[in-house]
């Protein structure tokens, strides 16, 4: 993965109504004359998807709050935080400073039951990019509640006007616990300060901590923007190759890319890389991620990561050539039991590439190829076990291929790589 310069990352935290958004705007404006600053939230794309789910399923964008469990919401937001940082690393590197409205601490503070911030959430939290400075705004709860009521904020609608202050007090108590004793956090008591006074205090503190400015040849206004709503490239710009292990997907994809001037990609590459890097490679070459991470967790993460990645590519005209397109088969979808309707909805939001190819290969032929390249599957499962897995995959693929109909071109994977590359390349170029 290409390494890019790392901007100075600031997080602003605190209860609803305390003035985070106002402060972030003031901080951005104050720094803008000397620094390039990008502001935003940690997970805007998945928030957009959650709201779409609430609107489409229950007629109200905010209904996702009650329709989806707390743990799933936290897990999904954290997944985007990890994936978004990787996919937008080049865009982020153009800026001197990134300022985030909320970070993982918000989800921890909102958690009533420890089970809702479980090992999955902690794993994702630990994979988030490094934060240089956390600003915790600690406010007057009654004043914050009054602001939310005056704004007719969604939280008031969820808790009720007469309970919002009590909710905010519990929330602030939890924030206090999360940040207690953390030397990387600056706590600012804003209760008796005007917004201008808070901004002046924060700007002075931040300015004193910023590293020397990096040289830049970019003219003002030439900095990249980052998408904050769900989207994807045009299906016409998407091409994908599928098939069982050993069918020759990667070989074909890279051969086509070399001749058709297209970019190779893989859905959910950020989370796949994260899972692999978290498990030591076994002597047989297997990363062991299937043993280390539950099928449900992996597939939930891949679904979210895939949609985030496509959204980050949405403005790119491509063409993109994908090694696998797992939404076509979604063979792990039945492993999802938690909030299944929501994850089925996410699966439905994947576009269908204009060009989909399935490399069809008999399990015995695929096994021979896997053995020849020293693949983990035969080394771990043995020949019989590998044949069973490959046959099972092919059997599960068949009904999906029939359902997809003419949208999928089935190719005989026994043909030479050059012949296959010529067939696929001609369509991609066309």
């Amino acid at each position: 993965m290409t390494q890019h310069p790392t901007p100075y990352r600031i997080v602003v935290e605190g209860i609803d109504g305390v003035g985070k958004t106002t402060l972030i705007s003031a901080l951005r404006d104050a720094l803008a004359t000397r620094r390039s600053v990008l502001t935003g939230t940690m997970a805007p794309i998945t928030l957009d998807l959650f709201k779409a789910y609430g609107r489409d399923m229950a007629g109200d964008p905010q209904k996702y709050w009650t329709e989806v469990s707390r743990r799933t919401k936290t897990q999904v937001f954290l997944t985007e935080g990890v994936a978004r940082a990787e996919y937008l690393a080049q865009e982020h590197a153009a800026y001197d400073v990134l300022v985030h409205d909320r970070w993982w601490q918000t989800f921890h503070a909102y958690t009533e039951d420890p089970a809702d911030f479980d090992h999955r959430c902690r794993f994702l939290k630990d994979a988030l990019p490094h934060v240089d400075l956390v600003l915790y705004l600690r406010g007057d709860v009654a004043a914050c509640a009054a602001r939310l009521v005056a704004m007719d904020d969604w939280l008031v609608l969820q808790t009720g006007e007469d309970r919002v202050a009590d909710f905010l007090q519990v929330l602030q108590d939890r924030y206090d616990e999360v940040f207690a004793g953390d030397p990387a956090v600056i706590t600012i008591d804003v209760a008796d300060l005007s917004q201008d006074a808070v901004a002046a205090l924060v700007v002075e503190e931040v300015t004193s901590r910023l590293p020397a400015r990096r040289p830049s040849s970019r003219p003002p206004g030439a900095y990249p923007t980052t998408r904050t709503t769900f989207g994807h490239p045009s299906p016409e710009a998407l091409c994908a190759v599928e098939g069982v292990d050993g069918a020759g997907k990667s070989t074909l994809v890279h051969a086509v890319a070399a001749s058709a001037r297209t970019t190779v990609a893989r859905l959910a590459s950020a989370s796949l890389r994260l899972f692999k890097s978290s498990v030591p490679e076994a002597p047989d070459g297997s990363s062991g991620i299937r043993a280390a991470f539950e099928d449900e967790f992996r597939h939930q993460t891949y679904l979210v990561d895939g949609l985030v990645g496509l959204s980050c590519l949405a403005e790119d005209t491509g063409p993109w050539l994908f090694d696998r397109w797992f939404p076509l088969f979604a063979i792990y979808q039945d492993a999802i039991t938690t909030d299944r309707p929501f994850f089925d909805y996410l699966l439905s939001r994947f576009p269908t590439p204009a060009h989909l190819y399935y490399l069809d290969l008999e399990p015995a032929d695929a096994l021979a190829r896997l053995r020849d390249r020293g693949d983990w599957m035969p080394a771990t499962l043995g020949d019989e076990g590998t044949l069973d897995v490959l046959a099972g995959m092919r059997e599960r693929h068949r009904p999906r291929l029939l359902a997809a109909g003419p949208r999928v071109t089935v190719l005989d994977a026994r043909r030479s790589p050059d012949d296959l590359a010529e067939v696929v390349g001609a369509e991609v170029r066309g």
Side-chain angles (χ1 to χ4, degrees):
M1 190 175 77
T2 304
Q3 295 296 315
H4 298 283
T6 303
Y8 192 83
R9 197 180 296 266
I10 300 171
V11 166
V12 180
E13 276 283 14
I15 61 173
D16 303 67
V18 78
K20 297 183 296 296
T21 303
T22 301
L23 172 61
I24 289 171
S25 296
L27 181 59
R28 178 196 60 213
D29 294 343
L31 296 178
T33 58
R34 295 160 287 171
R35 306 279 183 152
S36 53
V37 182
L38 178 66
T39 63
T41 60
M42 186 178 79
I45 292 168
T46 46
L47 178 60
D48 187 46
L49 285 165
F50 272 126
K51 289 183 175 180
Y53 178 70
R55 181 184 63 246
D56 294 346
M57 299 296 107
D60 180 353
Q62 295 299 341
K63 280 291 186 180
Y64 81 89
W65 185 257
T66 54
E67 295 293 319
V68 182
S69 70
R70 161 54 55 188
R71 188 188 73 170
T72 291
K73 291 196 289 283
T74 298
Q75 181 182 316
V76 167
F77 287 140
L78 291 172
T79 298
E80 179 176 355
V82 174
R84 187 175 174 83
E86 177 168 326
Y87 297 137
L88 296 179
Q90 183 174 350
E91 288 81 357
H92 288 171
Y95 290 88
D96 296 314
V97 182
L98 299 184
V99 185
H100 295 278
D101 185 344
R102 301 181 184 269
W103 203 238
W104 68 264
Q105 292 90 345
T106 285
F107 310 121
H108 197 284
Y110 265 86
T111 299
E112 297 179 18
D113 185 345
D116 289 337
F117 203 94
D118 64 357
H119 64 286
R120 300 179 181 186
C121 297
R122 292 192 296 273
F123 171 76
L124 293 167
K125 180 263 290 186
D126 291 340
L128 289 168
H130 170 74
V131 170
D132 297 284
L133 179 63
V134 177
L135 301 169
Y136 169 38
L137 305 187
R138 198 174 187 284
D140 179 273
V141 168
C144 293
R147 290 191 196 108
L148 296 180
V149 170
M151 295 163 51
D152 199 23
D153 187 83
W154 71 273
L155 186 61
V156 177
L157 300 177
Q158 292 296 328
T159 63
E161 185 175 333
D162 58 336
R163 295 182 56 203
V164 66
D166 291 339
F167 179 87
L168 290 179
Q169 184 61 65
V170 171
L171 195 62
Q172 184 154 275
D173 290 344
R174 291 183 188 146
Y175 271 119
D176 289 344
E177 293 176 8
V178 170
F179 290 127
D182 189 338
V185 177
I186 296 178
T187 300
I188 302 171
D189 193 336
V190 302
D192 298 320
L193 297 175
S194 68
Q195 292 180 343
D196 289 343
V198 173
L201 182 66
V202 168
V203 168
E204 181 180 1
E205 183 67 40
V206 169
T207 302
S208 70
R209 290 170 175 262
L210 287 177
R213 184 177 184 182
R214 295 174 290 160
S216 174
S217 58
R218 292 178 184 270
Y223 289 86
T225 57
T226 56
R227 189 178 183 91
T228 57
T229 56
F230 170 66
H232 53 74
S234 164
E236 294 300 320
L238 302 176
C239 175
V241 179
E242 260 292 359
V244 300
D245 293 54
K249 299 180 296 296
S250 297
T251 300
L252 175 58
V253 162
H254 286 91
V256 172
S259 63
R261 295 183 180 179
T262 185
T263 303
V264 175
R266 186 160 186 170
L267 286 177
S269 59
S271 52
L272 180 61
R273 187 177 295 108
L274 172 62
F275 286 139
K276 285 186 173 181
S277 67
S278 302
V279 180
E281 185 170 322
D284 57 24
S286 168
S287 68
I289 61 174
R290 290 173 178 81
F293 301 99
E294 310 99 304
D295 285 349
E296 179 182 73
F297 178 39
R298 289 198 334 273
H299 193 57
Q300 288 172 335
T301 305
Y302 293 153
L303 285 173
V304 175
D305 183 352
L307 292 174
V308 170
L310 286 173
S311 296
C312 292
L313 296 178
E315 310 305 324
D316 198 308
T317 57
W320 294 94
L321 183 57
F322 283 84
D323 182 348
R324 297 182 185 269
W325 193 265
F326 67 81
L328 175 64
F329 302 121
I331 59 176
Y332 289 106
Q333 196 75 358
D334 287 341
I336 296 178
T337 58
T338 306
D339 291 306
R340 175 67 181 269
F342 173 67
F343 287 102
D344 283 346
Y345 177 79
L346 292 187
L347 185 63
S348 74
R349 299 304 301 270
F350 280 90
T352 300
H355 306 290
L356 262 172
Y357 301 92
Y358 182 78
L359 295 179
D360 193 29
L361 191 64
E362 291 288 341
D365 294 327
L367 170 61
R369 292 183 180 183
L370 294 176
R371 273 202 311 254
D372 288 344
R373 74 186 193 197
D375 191 85
W376 71 270
M377 194 180 291
T380 304
L381 305 178
D383 287 357
E384 290 302 319
T386 300
L387 282 172
D388 288 344
V389 169
L390 294 172
M393 289 177 65
R394 194 165 178 244
E395 193 62 31
R396 288 193 295 271
H397 290 174
R398 286 184 183 279
R400 298 295 181 94
L401 290 172
L402 290 173
R407 294 181 299 172
V408 180
T409 301
V410 179
L411 299 172
D412 187 343
R414 294 172 299 177
R415 294 172 63 179
S416 74
D418 290 342
D419 286 348
L420 292 169
E422 185 175 343
V423 172
V424 176
E427 289 202 22
V428 173
R429 285 190 295 271

